[in-house]
């Protein structure tokens, strides 16, 4: 992965609403979730949700599947894996150094945790 592509992915995740959406989709697994489920879980109006979903899709972090008249979104795990590999490439000079923090984050958010509005 090129540095510029990694920067684009990180920039897309650098907004708390998009990060919350992405985390919900990662937690949902390969089946993903419908937009109304995401909107309800995060308390987002449809237009705002649509804007952020489009941004994540353009970045390649999520996929959209059409099911008849409905859309379902899912995380693009291969893109997430590539980004994680890029971020940890040559970590600690090749020595095993991950302390387990990657598998046990200090902060456990529930899937329905809405982001704090900016400026609040």
């Amino acid at each position: 992965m090129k540095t510029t592509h990694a920067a684009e992915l990180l920039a897309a995740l650098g907004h708390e609403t998009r990060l919350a959406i992405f985390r919900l989709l990662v937690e949902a697994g390969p089946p993903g979730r419908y937009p109304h489920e995401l909107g309800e879980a995060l308390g987002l109006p449809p237009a705002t949700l649509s804007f952020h979903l489009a941004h994540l899709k353009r970045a390649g972090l999520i996929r959209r599947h059409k099911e008849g008249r409905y859309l379902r979104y899912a995380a693009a795990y291969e893109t997430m894996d590539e980004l994680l590999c890029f971020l940890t490439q040559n970590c600690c000079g090749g020595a095993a150094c991950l302390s387990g923090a990657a598998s046990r984050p200090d902060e456990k958010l529930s899937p329905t945790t809405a982001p704090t509005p900016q400026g609040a």
Side-chain angles (χ1 to χ4, degrees):
M1 174 177 288
K2 293 185 178 184
T3 303
T4 53
H5 186 225
E8 289 172 5
L9 296 175
L10 292 169
L13 293 172
H15 189 281
E16 62 185 309
T17 300
R18 285 192 291 274
L19 182 58
I21 292 167
F22 185 72
R23 288 186 62 169
L24 283 175
L25 292 174
V26 168
E27 290 173 8
R33 294 180 86 169
Y34 293 107
H36 75 273
E37 295 173 328
L38 296 167
E40 288 174 9
L42 298 172
L44 296 173
T48 301
L49 177 64
S50 179
F51 171 81
H52 290 299
L53 287 170
H55 192 112
L56 290 167
K57 186 175 175 306
R58 273 192 311 275
L61 288 161
I62 64 172
R63 299 194 188 296
R64 181 178 64 202
H65 307 281
K66 193 165 186 173
E67 296 177 351
R69 296 181 2 189
Y70 301 100
L71 297 175
R72 183 185 284 262
Y73 290 87
Y77 290 99
E78 64 283 352
T79 304
M80 181 181 74
D81 289 344
E82 288 176 28
L83 180 59
L84 290 172
C85 287
F86 174 83
L87 292 173
T88 58
Q89 183 179 356
N90 301 322
C91 178
C92 300
C97 62
L98 291 178
S99 64
S103 61
R104 294 185 321 270
D106 292 338
E107 178 185 5
K108 177 66 176 157
L109 296 177
S110 69
T112 58
T113 301
T116 306
Q118 292 183 355

